[in-house]
Amino acid sequence: MSTSAPVVAELPLWLLADTAGAVQHCSPGSERLLGMAPRGRALAELFGEPLAQRLLSSSEGTFEWTSPALEDGTQPATWRLVRHTLEGGGLLIRGGELKTSMEEVPAAWERRLSRKLIQPQGDIAEQQRAFMLGIFDADPNLIFVKDRRGRFIFVNQAVGELFRAPPDEVVLKQNASIHTDEGELKVYDAVDQAVLTTRSEVRLEESFTKPDGSVGWFETRKRPLRSPDGQDFVLGISVDITEQRRMAQLLHEINQRLELAVSAGQLGLWDWNVPTGNMYFSPVWKAQLGYEDNELENSLDTLARLIHPEDRQVTQQTALLHVKDASHGDRYMNEFRMRAKDGSWRWIAGYGLVVRDEKGRGVRVTGYHVDITARKAREAEQELLRENLRRTNENLQRLARMKDEFLANMSHELRTPLNAVLGQAEAISEGIFGPVTEEQRSSLKTIEESGRHLLSLINDVLDITKSTVGRLELELAPVPVEEVCQESLRLVREQARRKGITVSYSNNAEEPTVWADRRRLRQVLLNLLTNAQKFTPNGGSIGLEVAARPGGEVAFSVWDTGPGIAEADWQRIFEPFVQLDAGLDRRHEGSGLGLALVRRMVDLHHGRVELQSQVGKGSRFTAVLSVDQPSVEEPRKPLLPSPRANPPSPAAGLAACTVLIADDNEANTHHLEEYLKAHGFNVLISRDGEEVMRLCREVSPAVVLMDIQMPRLNGLDVIRQLRSESATSHLSMVALTALAMPGDRERCLEAGADAYLSKPVRLTDVLEVVRALTARSGEAI
């Protein structure tokens, strides 16, 4: 049969389309040729989506297109389309039917296998044809036949599903008409030509990009097929291997990860055949110890020889225990030392997995070793650091205790003589020891002011210590803002007047009270006002301003016209013992504790301290407190506890008015004795704890003023002992001591004291407590 080349008829069809593919103009008769009116339609409606995309985006100039069968009986035909790009945008598409020799038409058309009924349904040949088509369609693999021009002559149902079209719509079409991936089309055509040219079978794996973008893989066999009349075709059978390739890729990735993990983790693999005793060590296992693969024998003896003697027994017992007894599990781990080639000991973490037979017996153990020498070294360093840290903490705690003990002792040693100085001055000024002239009274006032200044410094040191250890107690209550401000101003006005400093005050707070510890708030304001007065030069000004803040806050601002503070020093001045005016030539006295106490006391009130300052113009310190009561109010501890239940009646006469002073320091007892006698009390003196016990049992005094540090028996033990005896448990006892460190007050009250007074103490305060205690039992003088 002739195989003359195809001839292109003249091109009776032309179409003008815009850049979006919509036909704007067309040639006359195009509706008859295409079977529909093209004007206004998209190229995809006329030629199908794949070819339309190629026409719009491809750089090709000519295309082939197989027209569909028309309703008027026109059979499918192959067209040649020529594409021209217009300068103004859009396309000119000209087309004409591709004519072939009459001998070639039957080769393509008559040999097609269609599912349309050709003969009457009962015809035997038709039944056989339908049966054969059913067999092909039942095969899940792709089965197809192509002619020399690449047109499908036959496809089974699987091919139609791949192209998402009925099989009859695929027949007589080329791949390019129904598939858009140009790279894959070139592979398909090249393989087809190779089969036809070499007349031999070709096997390959090829991809197919589906319309949704997913890629399927097929193992394809294409072989030549010759018809009885001598025409050559291509028979193709493709098996879907997409899942197989995915699993192969997954397995490859897993193997890669395993290989990387073993390599990166330096895992030394080993395997032990329990029945035979055979042992295998991987090259990495040997390299962990510095050996080449051929330098160590694969045997149990090698393992036993290299393990440290101290670790060998435990390591072997652990492995055998898991092998012999399934109740211990199939997995185990050991940490042990092994001898390296250079003679050093390497720490190894050994992991094992026991494989058991059907009877549960361990028949194989597989595992790996990890070199953990570096980790062990880090752990040893961390342990050493922890030990050093523990020792450092112990030393710090010891130093803290020594500091507390030192401060307690210094406080006691300073307060004890100071108590005598202030007490004697107070007693003399009140005329206890005789008449006093005005000159003497002035000198006594100077002594008292100096003593009180020294006492304030001692108290500041103690307050800093208490706040540091969290024992600075607050007695919170509503505090009248106006009253506490006026009290604070009164204490600085006189000193300010002497320097010619003007003192201003304003109160614009909407709330009359704040929730605070009155004494501590007054201490905050007094410290700020004293600092302002101290650093302001003669003739300057200071002031206290109170103002409301949003959110229920009150701001207490103390300002001055002093030298100001450089911004670099704003944080430093709130540290304890820091003074900007330091050195031997400093002009201002002070301990450097005032601002540190201000910040810590405001912090305890859950407030904040603000600072504004400009060098040469002055400073403004602001303490901001809340007017609201805190959610959990700390209980206020009264000076005097409630009366004891059913106290025994004290002895009448002398004992009812007797005060026993228990103190081993004569300077402290002399002025107090004379002061109490002057106010009508009988006074007894005791110099040690045992004597106090005796006098209390014999005399049963109305009040005992108990020093804590006394010879033979300290005051706390005396108080506890007296409370434990029925004859003395009712006595009123006051801890009158120089112990004023954090926790001292609580220790005294817990021991059984009715009240606590720290030295130095005003004689009037002692008198007030003594009268209150005697009045409580109805024995007031």
Side-chain angles (χ1 to χ4, degrees):
M1 181 177 288
S2 171
T3 56
S4 59
V7 179
V8 180
E10 64 177 278
L11 305 176
L13 171 71
W14 60 265
L15 303 171
L16 282 176
D18 59 19
T19 56
V23 176
Q24 304 299 321
H25 301 282
C26 58
S27 60
S30 58
E31 180 176 353
R32 177 183 59 80
L33 296 171
L34 296 173
M36 64 181 76
R39 189 167 185 175
R41 296 181 182 273
L43 294 176
E45 295 182 68
L46 302 176
F47 305 115
E49 184 66 32
L51 182 56
Q53 289 295 329
R54 294 176 65 195
L55 287 169
L56 289 170
S57 60
S58 176
S59 59
E60 300 175 59
T62 60
F63 305 84
E64 287 189 7
W65 172 62
T66 302
S67 65
L70 303 179
E71 293 181 357
D72 60 2
T74 302
Q75 298 299 320
T78 300
W79 288 62
R80 173 68 55 85
L81 302 179
V82 181
R83 170 183 175 275
H84 303 275
T85 303
L86 304 179
E87 292 185 359
L91 300 173
L92 169 61
I93 301 171
R94 297 184 300 139
E97 185 177 358
L98 188 63
K99 299 296 185 179
T100 60
S101 64
M102 292 304 295
E103 291 83 357
E104 190 176 354
V105 172
W109 178 252
E110 297 300 334
R111 297 185 190 283
R112 79 192 191 287
L113 291 179
S114 173
R115 283 156 179 76
K116 293 181 180 180
L117 187 63
I118 299 176
Q119 300 296 334
Q121 189 169 3
D123 185 81
I124 296 298
E126 180 63 28
Q127 292 180 3
Q128 291 176 340
R129 188 182 70 87
F131 182 67
M132 291 299 297
L133 286 174
I135 293 174
F136 289 132
D137 288 341
D139 195 325
N141 300 317
L142 308 181
I143 302 176
F144 55 90
V145 178
K146 293 182 180 180
D147 64 8
R148 298 186 65 88
R149 292 176 54 194
R151 296 176 299 180
F152 288 103
I153 303 303
F154 167 76
V155 296
N156 68 344
Q157 185 68 32
V159 175
E161 291 174 355
L162 183 67
F163 286 106
R164 296 188 175 181
D168 280 358
E169 292 186 11
V170 177
V171 170
L172 294 182
K173 290 186 178 179
Q174 295 175 314
N175 277 317
S177 302
I178 50 180
H179 191 54
T180 58
D181 192 294
E182 295 184 9
E184 293 173 346
L185 290 173
K186 291 179 180 179
V187 173
Y188 303 155
D189 293 340
V191 174
D192 291 345
Q193 291 302 316
V195 171
L196 293 171
T197 302
T198 63
R199 295 192 55 79
S200 60
E201 181 179 275
V202 176
R203 295 188 179 188
L204 76 159
E205 290 185 3
E206 55 187 2
S207 63
F208 181 88
T209 302
K210 301 177 183 178
D212 61 3
S214 62
V215 177
W217 284 88
F218 296 88
E219 183 179 3
T220 299
R221 296 173 61 184
K222 291 184 177 180
R223 60 189 308 172
L225 178 65
R226 175 162 289 187
S227 66
D229 58 1
Q231 294 293 317
D232 289 327
F233 299 89
V234 176
L235 169 63
I237 301 176
S238 297
V239 179
D240 192 337
I241 58 170
T242 305
E243 183 64 17
Q244 179 181 337
R245 282 180 63 91
R246 189 184 72 81
M247 294 302 297
Q249 179 64 26
L250 180 61
L251 182 60
H252 176 69
E253 293 174 358
I254 291 174
N255 288 335
Q256 278 189 322
R257 286 196 293 268
L258 179 59
E259 183 177 348
L260 287 173
V262 171
S263 176
Q266 290 296 299
L267 303 180
L269 304 181
W270 54 270
D271 183 75
W272 174 28
N273 189 316
V274 177
T276 64
N278 292 335
M279 197 81 182
Y280 165 75
F281 304 119
S282 71
V284 175
W285 188 97
K286 298 174 183 178
Q288 288 177 343
L289 302 176
Y291 290 97
E292 296 294 333
D293 188 21
N294 59 355
E295 292 182 322
L296 281 180
E297 181 185 0
N298 292 331
S299 68
L300 283 170
D301 291 338
T302 298
L303 180 63
R305 176 171 53 84
L306 295 177
I307 294 179
H308 195 286
E310 296 178 2
D311 304 334
R312 188 176 301 145
Q313 183 177 359
V314 174
T315 303
Q316 292 175 344
Q317 286 180 348
T318 301
L320 291 174
L321 187 64
H322 284 77
V323 169
K324 294 179 179 180
D325 190 349
S327 64
H328 288 86
D330 296 334
R331 290 177 173 83
Y332 65 89
M333 190 273 288
N334 277 320
E335 290 186 1
F336 47 87
R337 289 160 290 178
M338 296 188 73
R339 174 75 74 180
K341 184 178 180 180
D342 60 6
S344 64
W345 292 104
R346 310 293 297 176
W347 273 99
I348 301 295
Y351 297 84
L353 174 63
V354 180
V355 179
R356 305 185 186 278
D357 60 14
E358 64 280 0
K359 296 182 179 181
R361 294 173 299 193
V363 295
R364 199 176 197 90
V365 185
T366 301
Y368 61 91
H369 283 181
V370 181
D371 190 329
I372 59 172
T373 305
R375 192 197 81 189
K376 284 291 187 178
R378 289 194 300 270
E379 290 176 355
E381 292 176 0
Q382 291 171 358
E383 182 60 32
L384 181 60
L385 289 174
R386 283 193 292 269
E387 179 63 21
N388 291 337
L389 181 61
R390 183 186 63 80
R391 292 178 180 176
T392 301
N393 287 336
E394 288 180 352
N395 288 334
L396 290 175
Q397 292 173 2
R398 181 176 57 82
L399 291 174
R401 288 194 300 269
M402 291 175 62
K403 181 202 71 174
D404 290 344
E405 292 172 0
F406 170 77
L407 290 175
N409 289 332
M410 289 304 298
S411 173
H412 183 273
E413 295 302 320
L414 291 172
R415 285 172 178 274
T416 298
L418 190 58
N419 184 61
V421 172
L422 293 176
Q424 294 282 12
E426 185 178 3
I428 293 172
S429 65
E430 289 192 18
I432 299 300
F433 302 109
V436 180
T437 66
E438 287 302 319
E439 290 80 3
Q440 292 171 334
R441 198 179 305 279
S442 176
S443 297
L444 290 170
K445 184 176 182 181
T446 301
I447 293 173
E448 183 179 5
E449 288 179 351
S450 299
R452 294 297 171 192
H453 177 68
L454 179 58
L455 178 61
S456 69
L457 294 179
I458 297 172
N459 288 335
D460 284 348
V461 172
L462 293 178
D463 283 342
I464 284 290
T465 304
K466 290 178 181 179
S467 65
T468 300
V469 299
R471 287 179 168 175
L472 188 64
E473 295 179 354
L474 299 181
E475 297 181 2
L476 299 174
V479 177
V481 173
E482 184 67 22
E483 290 183 11
V484 76
C485 290
Q486 292 295 348
E487 290 173 2
S488 304
L489 289 168
R490 277 197 298 271
L491 296 174
V492 297
R493 275 200 174 102
E494 178 60 26
Q495 291 177 323
R497 184 188 63 78
R498 294 175 185 173
K499 294 178 63 176
I501 295 175
T502 303
V503 180
S504 302
Y505 171 67
S506 65
N507 183 357
N508 298 321
E510 299 175 357
E511 297 291 340
T513 63
V514 292
W515 193 262
D517 182 315
R518 181 167 184 153
R519 182 169 69 90
R520 298 301 184 186
L521 177 56
R522 184 171 60 246
Q523 188 176 0
V524 167
L525 297 179
L526 186 58
N527 279 343
L528 293 176
L529 287 167
T530 301
N531 265 7
Q533 177 270 134
K534 180 168 63 176
F535 290 101
T536 299
N538 294 353
S541 302
I542 65 173
L544 171 61
E545 298 176 358
V546 185
R549 289 278 185 93
E553 293 181 332
V554 174
F556 299 84
S557 297
V558 175
W559 57 268
D560 62 62
T561 57
I565 304 167
E567 187 173 353
D569 296 321
W570 284 10
Q571 293 297 326
R572 199 163 62 90
I573 60 173
F574 289 100
E575 297 299 323
F577 306 107
V578 170
Q579 290 179 299
L580 300 184
D581 180 22
L584 297 177
D585 59 344
R586 65 179 182 150
R587 293 171 297 169
H588 304 98
E589 64 179 13
S591 62
L593 295 174
L595 290 177
L597 278 171
V598 166
R599 186 174 68 174
R600 295 191 183 185
M601 289 180 183
V602 172
D603 286 345
L604 286 174
H605 283 83
H606 302 290
R608 62 186 182 278
V609 177
E610 300 171 353
L611 170 60
Q612 295 173 308
S613 186
Q614 188 173 355
V615 175
K617 294 189 176 181
S619 304
R620 174 182 290 266
F621 290 85
T622 302
V624 183
L625 301 180
S626 174
V627 300
D628 297 325
Q629 179 178 356
S631 57
V632 179
E633 181 183 352
E634 296 184 9
R636 184 172 181 175
K637 296 184 178 180
L639 178 66
L640 298 176
S642 57
R644 301 180 186 278
N646 302 321
S649 298
L654 178 66
C657 303
T658 298
V659 176
L660 173 60
I661 301 176
D663 197 321
D664 62 329
N665 189 302
E666 186 174 355
N668 277 324
T669 60
H670 177 66
H671 65 279
L672 182 57
E673 178 185 8
E674 296 300 324
Y675 188 81
L676 290 175
K677 285 181 179 179
H679 287 83
F681 288 93
N682 296 312
V683 180
L684 296 176
I685 305 295
S686 175
R687 300 300 183 191
D688 65 69
E690 292 185 357
E691 188 180 8
V692 173
M693 296 285 296
R694 180 181 61 79
L695 288 174
C696 285
R697 291 167 183 151
E698 293 177 357
V699 179
S700 189
V703 178
V704 180
L705 300 177
M706 185 78 68
D707 189 24
I708 300 304
Q709 291 184 328
M710 290 193 302
R712 302 180 68 181
L713 194 64
N714 67 65
L716 293 178
D717 290 339
V718 172
I719 294 173
R720 295 189 187 98
Q721 185 63 34
L722 292 175
R723 289 290 182 223
S724 66
E725 298 178 9
S726 59
T728 56
S729 61
H730 67 283
L731 295 179
S732 296
M733 288 176 278
V734 179
L736 180 59
T737 176
L739 295 176
M741 291 298 291
D744 287 339
R745 178 178 184 274
E746 289 74 13
R747 289 167 55 200
C748 295
L749 296 179
E750 289 173 2
D754 294 279
Y756 169 86
L757 295 173
S758 62
K759 298 176 183 178
V761 62
R762 293 181 182 273
L763 295 177
T764 53
D765 292 341
V766 177
L767 181 61
E768 180 183 354
V769 172
V770 170
R771 283 176 170 171
L773 289 172
T774 55
R776 190 178 67 181
S777 57
E779 300 295 335
I781 296 178

